[in-house]
Amino acid sequence: MFIAGNWKMNTDVRSAVALAAAICERVAPSTKTHVAVCPPYISLDAVGRAIRASASPVKLGAQDMHFEQDGAFTGAISGAMLASVGCSYVILGHSERRQFFGETDASVNRKTLKAPANGLIPIVCIGETLTEREAEREEEVVGTQVRAALDGVSLTSADQLVLAYEPVWAIGTGRTASPEQAQAIHAFIRSLLVEQFGEGLGRAIHILYGGSMKPSNAPELLGQKDVDGGLIGGAALKADDFLGIVAAAEAVSR
């Protein structure tokens, strides 16, 4: 299981460090679940220091990166910069990046190919809108996104890649895909991973659910065969809620 917190554009440096410290304090070294927090850029260094000081197994992640290593890209952050502050993961292609910042399947692919060069594990996001879901096009949309994002990607280990299915209609809306809906799409994504990477790797890659997971619905969602964790938004901003989801993942892993 893998639980990652996407803090989005929330917290300042002080509150980010406090939140990270509260999470690290209660994630034991013996925890089987992989745990990561992804604060805003300005807090990455400070949160990374807090994580290292706690000797916690919690990992640091970023919310995006540019596909170039350096250059005249005002306001952008490179993978090398993220690695320099201790990031292990980077979220790529989040629906909000696609919706508000013009992210495309092609740019997600370039970033996905670039991340490993900096020692970063990409958390590649895919998912359909409400209009696409109501038109029963979710497999068509998700399939296109997965194939495009992973074009040219090769793996030697399943832990070099994470996918996150986030039904856009269930992000920040309070709506959640039913466990059955989540499992159906996760199983479809799994089939695409097996098709590209083979049975062994394809079945071992983590596929996270990223649509309004919270402590109350986490056990049922995480209990689905192909749901390997969660990319958590709102619930990641409260230590108790986030840790409740981690606890649910732990229970499923036993």
Side-chain angles (χ1 to χ4, degrees):
M1 283 285 165
F2 178 32
I3 304 296
N6 177 14
W7 297 359
K8 305 189 179 184
M9 197 174 72
N10 296 290
T11 69
D12 56 17
V13 175
R14 180 177 297 181
S15 60
V17 169
L19 177 57
I23 291 170
C24 288
E25 183 180 1
R26 292 164 57 187
V27 176
S30 59
T31 300
K32 296 179 182 178
T33 301
H34 301 285
V35 180
V37 294
C38 303
Y41 290 136
I42 63 163
S43 300
L44 285 172
D45 185 48
V47 169
R49 291 175 187 271
I51 291 173
R52 291 189 292 274
S54 72
S56 167
V58 173
K59 300 296 184 182
L60 183 67
Q63 298 176 22
D64 189 34
M65 58 167 262
H66 199 277
F67 47 72
E68 294 291 355
Q69 198 78 343
D70 51 41
F73 302 101
T74 301
I77 301 290
S78 73
M81 294 173 182
L82 299 181
S84 74
V85 294
C87 285
S88 299
Y89 295 93
V90 59
I91 299 170
L92 301 177
H94 191 279
S95 64
E96 291 156 2
R97 299 296 309 177
R98 294 175 188 260
Q99 180 180 357
F100 300 122
F101 300 98
E103 192 81 80
T104 65
D105 289 340
S107 62
V108 174
N109 176 246
R110 293 184 72 178
K111 294 176 181 184
T112 302
L113 291 169
K114 189 68 174 181
N118 294 290
L120 300 171
I121 300 169
I123 302 174
V124 179
C125 300
I126 64 270
E128 79 284 1
T129 64
L130 180 59
T131 300
E132 291 162 342
R133 163 67 67 163
E134 290 178 337
E136 300 183 348
R137 295 183 55 229
E138 60 270 21
E139 287 195 2
E140 174 193 343
V141 171
V142 169
T144 296
Q145 291 175 345
V146 170
R147 292 186 179 97
L150 303 185
D151 184 32
V153 172
S154 61
L155 304 175
T156 57
S157 171
D159 60 11
Q160 294 173 318
L161 173 69
V162 178
L163 264 68
Y165 167 63
E166 39 166 33
V168 179
W169 46 273
I171 299 174
T173 64
R175 299 179 61 173
T176 310
S178 70
E180 294 76 19
Q181 287 174 317
Q183 168 57 26
I185 291 293
H186 278 239
F188 172 66
I189 296 168
R190 180 78 64 202
S191 71
L192 298 178
L193 294 176
V194 169
E195 179 183 295
Q196 178 162 349
F197 301 114
E199 189 77 16
L201 289 178
R203 297 215 172 273
I205 294 168
H206 283 114
I207 308 174
L208 313 183
Y209 174 75
S212 297
M213 186 183 288
K214 44 191 178 289
S216 59
N217 61 24
E220 196 170 7
L221 285 165
L222 294 172
Q224 301 303 306
K225 177 182 177 182
D226 290 295
V227 177
D228 305 314
L231 179 59
I232 314 303
L237 298 173
K238 296 181 179 179
D240 286 346
D241 287 352
F242 186 70
L243 291 162
I245 296 171
V246 173
E250 282 287 279
V252 170
S253 298
R254 293 194 186 102

PDB file of all heavy atoms in Angstrom, residues 135-149:
ATOM      1  N   ALA A 135     -20.946   9.919 -20.443  1.00  0.00           N
ATOM      2  CA  ALA A 135     -20.994   9.424 -21.826  1.00  0.00           C
ATOM      3  C   ALA A 135     -20.409   8.017 -21.947  1.00  0.00           C
ATOM      4  O   ALA A 135     -20.280   7.484 -23.061  1.00  0.00           O
ATOM      5  CB  ALA A 135     -20.239  10.378 -22.746  1.00  0.00           C
ATOM      6  N   GLU A 136     -20.044   7.428 -20.803  1.00  0.00           N
ATOM      7  CA  GLU A 136     -19.462   6.086 -20.746  1.00  0.00           C
ATOM      8  C   GLU A 136     -18.173   5.984 -21.560  1.00  0.00           C
ATOM      9  O   GLU A 136     -17.901   4.981 -22.216  1.00  0.00           O
ATOM     10  CB  GLU A 136     -20.484   5.034 -21.196  1.00  0.00           C
ATOM     11  CG  GLU A 136     -21.728   5.010 -20.326  1.00  0.00           C
ATOM     12  CD  GLU A 136     -22.709   3.924 -20.722  1.00  0.00           C
ATOM     13  OE1 GLU A 136     -22.540   3.336 -21.817  1.00  0.00           O
ATOM     14  OE2 GLU A 136     -23.630   3.647 -19.937  1.00  0.00           O
ATOM     15  N   ARG A 137     -17.379   7.057 -21.493  1.00  0.00           N
ATOM     16  CA  ARG A 137     -16.109   7.103 -22.225  1.00  0.00           C
ATOM     17  C   ARG A 137     -14.907   6.970 -21.292  1.00  0.00           C
ATOM     18  O   ARG A 137     -13.780   7.253 -21.697  1.00  0.00           O
ATOM     19  CB  ARG A 137     -16.005   8.419 -23.003  1.00  0.00           C
ATOM     20  CG  ARG A 137     -17.026   8.604 -24.113  1.00  0.00           C
ATOM     21  CD  ARG A 137     -16.794   9.910 -24.861  1.00  0.00           C
ATOM     22  NE  ARG A 137     -15.432   9.988 -25.378  1.00  0.00           N
ATOM     23  CZ  ARG A 137     -14.637  11.056 -25.213  1.00  0.00           C
ATOM     24  NH1 ARG A 137     -15.057  12.122 -24.541  1.00  0.00           N
ATOM     25  NH2 ARG A 137     -13.415  11.052 -25.707  1.00  0.00           N
ATOM     26  N   GLU A 138     -15.143   6.556 -20.036  1.00  0.00           N
ATOM     27  CA  GLU A 138     -14.040   6.570 -19.072  1.00  0.00           C
ATOM     28  C   GLU A 138     -12.869   5.685 -19.484  1.00  0.00           C
ATOM     29  O   GLU A 138     -11.706   6.077 -19.342  1.00  0.00           O
ATOM     30  CB  GLU A 138     -14.527   6.187 -17.666  1.00  0.00           C
ATOM     31  CG  GLU A 138     -15.157   4.813 -17.534  1.00  0.00           C
ATOM     32  CD  GLU A 138     -16.661   4.820 -17.759  1.00  0.00           C
ATOM     33  OE1 GLU A 138     -17.178   5.759 -18.393  1.00  0.00           O
ATOM     34  OE2 GLU A 138     -17.314   3.856 -17.311  1.00  0.00           O
ATOM     35  N   GLU A 139     -13.116   4.510 -20.038  1.00  0.00           N
ATOM     36  CA  GLU A 139     -12.006   3.648 -20.452  1.00  0.00           C
ATOM     37  C   GLU A 139     -11.276   4.235 -21.659  1.00  0.00           C
ATOM     38  O   GLU A 139     -10.040   4.159 -21.737  1.00  0.00           O
ATOM     39  CB  GLU A 139     -12.510   2.230 -20.758  1.00  0.00           C
ATOM     40  CG  GLU A 139     -12.889   1.455 -19.504  1.00  0.00           C
ATOM     41  CD  GLU A 139     -13.034  -0.029 -19.763  1.00  0.00           C
ATOM     42  OE1 GLU A 139     -12.804  -0.477 -20.922  1.00  0.00           O
ATOM     43  OE2 GLU A 139     -13.375  -0.766 -18.814  1.00  0.00           O
ATOM     44  N   GLU A 140     -12.018   4.819 -22.566  1.00  0.00           N
ATOM     45  CA  GLU A 140     -11.385   5.449 -23.720  1.00  0.00           C
ATOM     46  C   GLU A 140     -10.459   6.576 -23.278  1.00  0.00           C
ATOM     47  O   GLU A 140      -9.298   6.674 -23.731  1.00  0.00           O
ATOM     48  CB  GLU A 140     -12.463   6.023 -24.646  1.00  0.00           C
ATOM     49  CG  GLU A 140     -11.923   6.836 -25.812  1.00  0.00           C
ATOM     50  CD  GLU A 140     -13.008   7.641 -26.509  1.00  0.00           C
ATOM     51  OE1 GLU A 140     -14.201   7.337 -26.323  1.00  0.00           O
ATOM     52  OE2 GLU A 140     -12.659   8.593 -27.240  1.00  0.00           O
ATOM     53  N   VAL A 141     -10.943   7.435 -22.375  1.00  0.00           N
ATOM     54  CA  VAL A 141     -10.169   8.595 -21.916  1.00  0.00           C
ATOM     55  C   VAL A 141      -8.970   8.146 -21.095  1.00  0.00           C
ATOM     56  O   VAL A 141      -7.835   8.574 -21.331  1.00  0.00           O
ATOM     57  CB  VAL A 141     -11.060   9.542 -21.089  1.00  0.00           C
ATOM     58  CG1 VAL A 141     -10.221  10.639 -20.429  1.00  0.00           C
ATOM     59  CG2 VAL A 141     -12.139  10.160 -21.967  1.00  0.00           C
ATOM     60  N   VAL A 142      -9.213   7.281 -20.135  1.00  0.00           N
ATOM     61  CA  VAL A 142      -8.132   6.821 -19.263  1.00  0.00           C
ATOM     62  C   VAL A 142      -7.100   6.025 -20.055  1.00  0.00           C
ATOM     63  O   VAL A 142      -5.887   6.171 -19.858  1.00  0.00           O
ATOM     64  CB  VAL A 142      -8.705   5.988 -18.097  1.00  0.00           C
ATOM     65  CG1 VAL A 142      -7.594   5.268 -17.339  1.00  0.00           C
ATOM     66  CG2 VAL A 142      -9.493   6.885 -17.143  1.00  0.00           C
ATOM     67  N   GLY A 143      -7.567   5.195 -20.977  1.00  0.00           N
ATOM     68  CA  GLY A 143      -6.635   4.420 -21.802  1.00  0.00           C
ATOM     69  C   GLY A 143      -5.723   5.311 -22.620  1.00  0.00           C
ATOM     70  O   GLY A 143      -4.509   5.074 -22.710  1.00  0.00           O
ATOM     71  N   THR A 144      -6.291   6.359 -23.210  1.00  0.00           N
ATOM     72  CA  THR A 144      -5.489   7.305 -23.996  1.00  0.00           C
ATOM     73  C   THR A 144      -4.459   7.987 -23.112  1.00  0.00           C
ATOM     74  O   THR A 144      -3.285   8.129 -23.504  1.00  0.00           O
ATOM     75  CB  THR A 144      -6.398   8.366 -24.651  1.00  0.00           C
ATOM     76  OG1 THR A 144      -7.270   7.715 -25.582  1.00  0.00           O
ATOM     77  CG2 THR A 144      -5.574   9.414 -25.386  1.00  0.00           C
ATOM     78  N   GLN A 145      -4.863   8.401 -21.929  1.00  0.00           N
ATOM     79  CA  GLN A 145      -3.948   9.098 -21.024  1.00  0.00           C
ATOM     80  C   GLN A 145      -2.815   8.186 -20.555  1.00  0.00           C
ATOM     81  O   GLN A 145      -1.649   8.603 -20.518  1.00  0.00           O
ATOM     82  CB  GLN A 145      -4.714   9.647 -19.817  1.00  0.00           C
ATOM     83  CG  GLN A 145      -5.663  10.780 -20.164  1.00  0.00           C
ATOM     84  CD  GLN A 145      -6.485  11.225 -18.972  1.00  0.00           C
ATOM     85  OE1 GLN A 145      -6.573  10.531 -17.949  1.00  0.00           O
ATOM     86  NE2 GLN A 145      -7.109  12.384 -19.095  1.00  0.00           N
ATOM     87  N   VAL A 146      -3.144   6.962 -20.198  1.00  0.00           N
ATOM     88  CA  VAL A 146      -2.114   6.030 -19.730  1.00  0.00           C
ATOM     89  C   VAL A 146      -1.110   5.722 -20.837  1.00  0.00           C
ATOM     90  O   VAL A 146       0.111   5.796 -20.628  1.00  0.00           O
ATOM     91  CB  VAL A 146      -2.748   4.721 -19.204  1.00  0.00           C
ATOM     92  CG1 VAL A 146      -1.665   3.664 -18.941  1.00  0.00           C
ATOM     93  CG2 VAL A 146      -3.546   4.974 -17.933  1.00  0.00           C
ATOM     94  N   ARG A 147      -1.612   5.379 -22.000  1.00  0.00           N
ATOM     95  CA  ARG A 147      -0.707   5.025 -23.108  1.00  0.00           C
ATOM     96  C   ARG A 147       0.185   6.196 -23.497  1.00  0.00           C
ATOM     97  O   ARG A 147       1.376   6.020 -23.784  1.00  0.00           O
ATOM     98  CB  ARG A 147      -1.517   4.538 -24.301  1.00  0.00           C
ATOM     99  CG  ARG A 147      -2.217   3.194 -24.072  1.00  0.00           C
ATOM    100  CD  ARG A 147      -2.898   2.695 -25.345  1.00  0.00           C
ATOM    101  NE  ARG A 147      -3.538   1.405 -25.131  1.00  0.00           N
ATOM    102  CZ  ARG A 147      -4.839   1.253 -24.858  1.00  0.00           C
ATOM    103  NH1 ARG A 147      -5.628   2.318 -24.763  1.00  0.00           N
ATOM    104  NH2 ARG A 147      -5.348   0.051 -24.681  1.00  0.00           N
ATOM    105  N   ALA A 148      -0.391   7.406 -23.505  1.00  0.00           N
ATOM    106  CA  ALA A 148       0.392   8.585 -23.888  1.00  0.00           C
ATOM    107  C   ALA A 148       1.434   8.913 -22.830  1.00  0.00           C
ATOM    108  O   ALA A 148       2.597   9.190 -23.147  1.00  0.00           O
ATOM    109  CB  ALA A 148      -0.529   9.781 -24.101  1.00  0.00           C
ATOM    110  N   ALA A 149       1.050   8.884 -21.569  1.00  0.00           N
ATOM    111  CA  ALA A 149       1.970   9.233 -20.486  1.00  0.00           C
ATOM    112  C   ALA A 149       3.140   8.262 -20.408  1.00  0.00           C
ATOM    113  O   ALA A 149       4.268   8.654 -20.090  1.00  0.00           O
ATOM    114  CB  ALA A 149       1.232   9.264 -19.155  1.00  0.00           C
TER     115      ALA A 149
END
